[in-house]
Amino acid sequence: MANIAVIAYSTYGHTNTLAESIIKGINESGAKGTLYQFEETLSADVLAKMYAAPKPAYPVITPDDLKKYDGFIFAFGTRYGRAPAQVSSFFDQTGGLWATGALIGKFGAFATGAAGQHGGHETAIMTSIPFLTHHGIIYVPLGYGNPTLFEETEVIGGSPWGSSYVAGSKGNLPVTDKDKNVAEFQGKSFGTLVSTFVKGKSL
Ligand SMILES: Cc1cc2nc3c(=O)[nH]c(=O)nc-3n(C[C@H](O)[C@H](O)[C@H](O)COP(=O)(O)O)c2cc1C
């Protein structure tokens, strides 16, 4: 069975909702999904001033945890069109894994979200791909396999780069059922792909 980690960073909760739908899809594919969170780097004081939501109960990922998985889906809200510092800080702790080639041949994908429809969904993912590239992790795009990605009649997240949500400028918009459905689809298709590879390798 393929083992897949979904690692989320969320300040206000939207990304955790998306990540939970991704996990659902991974488990539907027959792979085993495990949900983690990135370590927080902001102080409790700063988080309180940002009106941050309480942290979920998911375990905090360590670099060594990555070795246990065949694939990873990294999920985080957009910060100035890029990944949050908390995600970069974690990536910067993986030098030991890079030096030993520990993640070569594993699979990786991204999910994100932003306040606005045009606030950087694609750029947050695109600018994170070098992390995968340098580790030799194979990037798996979402593509256009889910029909929701063709809809144009309402505010909707998701792109060929990965599932996503639109949170609104005050974080006032919930993650929609359609966005959850795309996230579940991403988990299921990623899980199916990684499982096929793991099965093939064991033959
Ligand atoms: C410092 C900072 C920078 C942000 N930059 C952007 C941005 O460039 N574009 C955008 O649409 N939203 C931006 N946002 C909004 C976040 O993307 C949004 O709050 C987040 O995705 C909500 O997800 P969460 O509930 O999981 O924290 C920013 C938020 C913060 C705190």
Side-chain angles (χ1 to χ4, degrees), residues 10-15 50 77-81 113-116 119 165 167:
S10 184
T11 308
Y12 302 106
H14 295 80
T15 310
M50 291 171 74
T78 295
R79 296 283 182 276
Y80 310 109
Y165 58 81

Side-chain angles (χ1 to χ4, degrees), residues 101-125:
L103 306 183
I104 291 173
K106 294 180 186 281
F107 293 84
F110 296 98
T112 189
Q117 256 183 299
H118 308 291
H121 300 242
E122 288 96 339
T123 54
I125 293 178

